[in-house]
Amino acid sequence: KMADIFTQERAREILHRKKILFLGDSILRSIYQDFISLVESGRLTNEEHLKLKGEQIPDFQGDRLKPGTGVLTTGRDYDEIRDYNIHGIEISYFFTSRCFRKTV
């Protein structure tokens, strides 16, 4: 397990004063959530949270869903932006289902 390799303390130490951007689809959202879980709890995200998106999780272990994004819809116009800024670590997630995006 990844959480057995990197401890919460070590992850915070390595990531302190770093900025990280996750840009991708729902699979990358799961990786983003695991990353935040490792920093916050030293564990991976539980299965129930991995099935949720957008407004279904307005905050996840200290991150925040950007207002006006995460409204559940289908198609290419779905927009979800999340920000985490705790422990001197800045992490952002931008959902995209296409190669070009005006907001990035």
Side-chain angles (χ1 to χ4, degrees), residues 13-74:
E13 178 185 327
I14 292 169
L15 299 171
H16 185 68
R17 296 175 47 191
K18 301 285 190 292
K19 295 180 182 182
I20 301 164
L21 171 65
F22 287 85
L23 178 64
D25 60 6
S26 58
I27 293 170
L28 201 60
R29 182 191 309 111
S30 296
I31 296 168
Y32 163 83
Q33 289 175 321
D34 278 340
F35 205 80
I36 299 247
S37 289
L38 177 61
V39 170
E40 282 299 313
S41 67
R43 289 180 252 138
L44 299 177
T45 309
N46 67 44
E47 292 292 324
E48 288 99 39
H49 277 106
L50 293 177
K51 296 175 185 174
L52 303 176
K53 69 178 185 178
E55 62 192 5
Q56 295 172 324
I57 43 173
D59 59 77
F60 176 76
Q61 296 196 24
D63 87 341
R64 294 280 180 245
L65 178 64
K66 182 179 178 183
T69 71
V71 177
L72 300 180
T73 184
T74 57

Side-chain angles (χ1 to χ4, degrees), residues 82-98:
R82 310 188 73 84
D83 290 305
Y84 172 93
N85 190 348
I86 301 176
H87 311 294
I89 304 165
E90 293 181 44
I91 306 171
S92 296
Y93 165 75
F94 287 74
F95 177 89
T96 188
S97 60
R98 46 190 146 172

